[in-house]
Structure formats: C-alpha cells, structure tokens
Amino acid sequence: MQQHLIDSSEAALASVALDPLGLGTGTFEVRDPATERVIATPPDHSVETALIALARADEAGKAWARTTARHRSDVLHRAYGLLVEQRDRLALVITREMGKPLAEAYGEVQYAADYVRWYAEEALRPSGNYRENPAGGSTILTTRAPIGTTLLITPWNFPMAMATRKIAPAIAVGCGAVVKPAALTPLTTLVVAEIFVQAGVPEDLVQVVTTKNSAGLSSALMADGRVRKVSFTGSTGIGSVLLGQAAEHVIKSSMELGGNAPLIVFDDADLDRAVEGAVVAKLRNGGQSCVAANRILVQDGIADAFVEGFAERMGEAVLGNGLAEGVTLGPVIDDRAVRGFAGLVEDAVARGADLRLGGAAPEGPGHFFEATVLDNVPAGSEIANTEIFGPIAAITRFGTEDEAIERANSTPFGLAGYVFSESIDRAFEVADRLDTGMVGINQGIVSNVAAPFGGVKASGLGREGSGEGLEEYQEIRFYNLARRGRP
Ligand code: SIN
C-alpha cells in the first residue's frame, strides 16, 4: 500500500470536525472495515441533544424558507464546486470508513456532488398550476411550499451520495434538516455538512446527529411534532417501523428500502454487453447496494457461454484494502456480513448449486469475502430468497420469457430489475411486465441524478433524485381566487 495514501487518509480523518453541534457527551467507535482499527470516536448523541439539534434546524429552516430560490441555488452551486474541490479528502474518508476502493469512492463523490448540482438547478424551477373553476366564479392557483423540518436517515453503503440525495432537495426548496447517518459511517456526512456551511448554508440549517441509538433518536424526533418529513434509506424491516411512527404522527415519508433485483439475460442478448452489465450490477460497491443484481436469470441457449464469460470477469476482481493500488473489491462492512455470506454459499452448495468461483472469506484482519459465482442455484436455497448485499452472484437458468418474468416478480420486493436482449420489442415488453420501480435495459446501472430512484411493493415509497425527488420535500397549496365578472 502506498504510504502517501495512508498518510493522506489519516490527515483526512483528522480533519473531520466530530462534534460541530457542540453537544456531545459520550462517544462511540468507528472502525475501518479493511483493518478493524478504530478511526474515530464521534459523539453518541442522546435524545436530549438530538431534540436541541431539531430545534436549531427548525428555527433556521423558518428563515431559510423565506430566502429566494436564486439564493438557495447559488449556495448549492457553490457547495457543488467545493465538494468537487475537496474530492480527495472526501474520497479518502469514504474509503476509510466504508471500505470501497478509492476509485469507487471518487466515483461516489462525483455522483453525490451531482445531486447537489442537479438540485441547484431544480431550485430555480418551482412548479405551479393555474386552472379555472369549472363552475365559474373563481380561479384555482397551486403552488408548492417547503414541507418544513426534515429528518434524513442515511445508510452506510453510499455515505455521501445518500446524504446529498436527501439534503440537497431539502435545502433547494427551503427546508431545515436533521441528518442521522449510519453509526458505521458517520464521518463523510460530517464533512459534507461542513462543506455546505463553507458554501453559505446557515450553520444551524443542517444538523448532523451521530449516534448508536438510531431507533431511540428517530422515534423521539418523530414524536416531537416539528418533523414534517422523514426520508429513510435502509432495510424494509426498519422502514416499516419508521412508517408506523410516521403514520402515528402523520409525517410525510420517503422510504428507499430493500431490493432483490432480477437480472434477466435472454438468448438474443449481446453476450459481451450482458456479461459486462452483470458484472457492474453485481460488483458495484462490492455488491453492497440495494439495486445490485441479486438473482441472475439466464435463458438456456446462452447460459453456458454467459456463465463462463461472467465467472472469468468476476475472477478478475482484486480483493483487498480499498486504499491499495489495483484493488477493485474492498472489504464488506462487518464480520456479521462475512459470516452471512459463508452461510449462504454453504447452504446453496449443499442444495446442489455449482460453485464456479470464490466462496471463501480470507483471513482477517478486515472483513473480506471473495467474488463468488454460483450457478444452477436451486429455488429453495436461502440465497435465492435473500437480499445478498455482497459480492456473490446467484445464477439460475430458465426456458421461456413468461417463466423468467414470473420468477423475477416472485418476491415481495420491487426496486430494480435488469433486462438484456437485442430485441427492442422484447426488452420493453419484459421491462413493462417487471414489478419494479426501475429497469436497466442492456446495462447494469440505473442510478442517475436525473432519474426518479425508488421502488414498488416492499422496496419503498416515494422517489429520490430528479424533479420527482424535489416534490417529496414540498406541500401543495392552492389559492381559490374569486373572479368578478366571471360566470
Ligand atoms: C443504494 O444502494 O441504496 C443506492 C444505490 C444508488 O444510488 O445507486
């Protein structure tokens, strides 16, 4: 590993202001998943301090809501510039706390900054409507107002992009925010919030509350009455608990929850494109993404060639510390994940799956698991019914289009799906029949700041990114304007 990168990453970690709220009491440990060493001890905020943070964000939000769209846009444009300027610092912090290879961390910095630039632009396009009362006598005008103070709960897998995907639209429309990052990766969010302040975001507007007691803080914040919107990215289990609390207090919710993405390769697919797309859909972020290809379904005629090409490309992944040169597959987040993967592979093989690549967890320190390919995975195996969230590909084969669609939809989840076929008719027909919020056609990636990211069924509610993502932070108001002289 290059010493200068270790030194720069230490400097980047040391630069993180761990308690900008100045309210911290106890602390908790954040560890580097590649070494298991403690890299920071941020404050473990209590319910009491979280409520102080909420009061500050709420107060600052009231003033911010009265600023002009042009001002908010300019601040976000400046934030975009500063995030990109400080990409080295951000990428190093991401790699150290989350583990992804440095090149991918740079990719996340740009992806995350792009949300800020997108919402700097969207801030200037507030939508409204004008309509005549069909019975006459009045005109109906609709506007969109900032919803109020928001609670943004972000996951560990994309610590920067999931933060900006929520914070930027909230700021763009005029809302304050309490952000609660995952306890495993709170440092990136602290840097992002610091940079927003450098760009001109009022100091109290975005409050980052680090804690180990996520459940306790979220429920207290939602019960307080000042939170008008909760946006959460994480598991369906936690999402449905939050939805219950949101229902009790009638809080608007966006939930980006679990996935179980099918990736379907038809006989008429371009083989190279399908292999490349599947590798990206599987190994991006080490498979630790809710849109990762979870079930790879391959039609009989192309299956042997696909499995061979795919296993070869997966075998090129270089496993190691994300700071090391040439590494393309970093550690997974913790030891529990490693044990889970080992169990899934063991169960699938015991039930008759063919292990084509990998399958093992190298010795620590660090939480590593090899890029793994399982072919002919039996329907009853655990891996066929689990969100894997790691670098293991589970392949099954199918005969007909109907069979593929039926299998693809046979899950409570519906976040993303992928279709590979050179027939435009078939690709669209199958995409239309998939019960998912997003479909990648002939490519293994759906994420884009201009696209509405989100799922159906147990994968969630609402959309993030794009214009639709802005509306999640607004309320519709209408004015009923009496019109003299109108029938
Ligand atoms: C996620 O895994 O939660 C989000 C991934 C993305 O934005 O691509």
Side-chain angles (χ1 to χ4, degrees):
M1 209 145 37
Q2 300 173 71
Q3 189 59 41
H4 79 93
L5 281 180
I6 301 174
D7 295 344
S8 321
S9 73
E10 287 295 330
L13 290 172
S15 78
V16 183
L18 295 175
D19 188 17
L21 303 180
L23 297 171
T25 42
T27 59
F28 64 96
E29 292 178 342
V30 178
R31 287 174 188 268
D32 179 340
T35 61
E36 299 179 49
R37 283 203 217 111
V38 175
I39 54 172
T41 51
D44 190 2
H45 285 293
S46 63
V47 166
E48 290 70 33
T49 57
L51 289 171
I52 295 172
L54 172 61
R56 290 178 182 174
D58 190 59
E59 209 42 49
K62 286 182 193 140
W64 186 246
R66 290 194 298 276
T67 58
T68 62
R70 173 63 69 195
H71 176 71
R72 297 194 296 274
S73 170
D74 287 348
V75 168
L76 285 171
H77 272 300
R78 273 201 298 278
Y80 170 78
L82 289 169
L83 291 167
V84 171
E85 204 176 289
Q86 297 187 43
R87 60 182 167 265
D88 294 342
R89 178 184 178 212
L90 284 157
L92 287 164
V93 173
I94 292 173
T95 293
R96 288 300 300 273
E97 71 172 345
M98 185 273 162
K100 70 184 70 181
L102 198 53
E104 273 199 74
Y106 275 104
E108 179 175 349
V109 173
Q110 188 58 52
Y111 177 43
D114 281 345
Y115 279 109
V116 177
R117 177 167 55 175
W118 173 268
Y119 284 113
E121 291 158 352
E122 284 295 293
L124 298 177
R125 300 180 198 121
S127 64
N129 205 315
Y130 171 99
R131 56 195 99 158
E132 294 294 343
N133 177 354
S138 71
T139 293
I140 294 160
L141 303 172
T142 68
T143 66
R144 288 180 182 272
I147 192 162
T149 304
T150 60
L151 171 60
L152 312 177
I153 307 174
T154 58
W156 53 261
N157 61 341
F158 287 91
M160 182 171 173
M162 297 306 99
T164 58
R165 186 152 89 184
K166 296 178 197 301
I167 300 170
I171 290 179
V173 301
C175 299
V178 175
V179 188
K180 199 218 66 61
L184 290 162
T185 57
L187 308 176
T188 308
T189 314
L190 288 164
V191 180
V192 168
E194 176 202 313
I195 292 175
F196 275 126
V197 172
Q198 288 169 15
V201 170
E203 212 155 310
D204 280 349
L205 192 73
V206 178
Q207 302 275 320
V208 180
V209 177
T210 53
T211 184
K212 284 283 268 186
N213 178 17
S214 299
L217 261 63
S218 313
S219 68
L221 290 168
M222 285 208 278
D224 171 86
R226 283 175 284 197
V227 169
R228 298 310 322 139
K229 159 90 192 177
V230 59
S231 176
F232 169 71
T233 297
S235 72
T236 297
I238 294 179
S240 57
V241 170
L242 291 170
L243 277 172
Q245 292 164 352
E248 193 180 340
H249 304 291
V250 196
I251 296 172
K252 185 168 169 172
S253 311
S254 299
M255 295 283 145
E256 203 258 273
L257 308 178
N260 187 353
L263 183 146
I264 310 174
V265 181
F266 286 100
D267 284 348
D268 59 6
D270 176 308
L271 181 63
D272 291 341
R273 194 135 90 141
V275 165
E276 283 315 306
V279 170
V280 169
K282 185 69 256 181
L283 282 191
R284 172 174 176 253
N285 217 36
Q288 301 171 111
S289 164
C290 50
V291 290
N294 210 51
R295 294 167 294 148
I296 301 181
L297 311 175
V298 191
Q299 200 163 18
D300 291 329
I302 198 173
D304 287 341
F306 174 86
V307 172
E308 192 177 323
F310 178 69
E312 194 181 314
R313 284 284 290 106
M314 290 280 285
E316 290 168 11
V318 180
L319 184 63
N321 187 317
L323 283 186
E325 216 179 333
V327 164
T328 57
L329 180 61
V332 295
I333 194 66
D334 58 18
D335 193 45
R336 195 162 59 123
V338 174
R339 279 184 273 116
F341 299 148
L344 289 176
V345 172
E346 202 178 304
D347 172 76
V349 171
R351 290 171 194 263
D354 303 319
L355 181 63
R356 297 290 302 255
L357 179 77
E363 280 288 295
H367 314 298
F368 293 96
F369 203 85
E370 294 174 340
T372 298
V373 177
L374 292 162
D375 190 12
N376 294 310
V377 170
S381 53
E382 233 181 289
I383 200 164
N385 302 293
T386 304
E387 184 177 18
I388 303 168
F389 233 72
I392 309 174
I395 301 174
T396 56
R397 299 167 182 229
F398 67 88
T400 67
E401 193 172 299
D402 283 345
E403 190 188 336
I405 291 165
E406 205 225 296
R407 279 211 245 153
N409 288 338
S410 65
T411 160
F413 300 97
L415 192 58
Y418 303 88
V419 181
F420 288 84
S421 164
E422 289 298 290
S423 153
I424 190 162
D425 288 332
R426 168 179 262 171
F428 269 104
E429 163 80 9
V430 174
D432 281 351
R433 292 175 64 194
L434 288 181
D435 287 342
T436 61
M438 303 174 274
V439 184
I441 299 177
N442 289 324
Q443 60 172 319
I445 196 141
V446 287
S447 310
N448 188 307
V449 297
F453 192 104
V456 300
K457 303 198 290 186
S459 289
L461 299 171
R463 294 294 180 268
E464 294 195 299
S466 73
E468 285 88 346
L470 193 80
E471 291 171 5
E472 299 279 341
Y473 294 88
Q474 294 174 312
E475 290 283 25
I476 297 173
R477 281 211 196 120
F478 93 87
Y479 306 116
N480 200 12
L481 179 70
R483 302 294 299 273
R484 223 184 288 147
R486 293 244 170 174

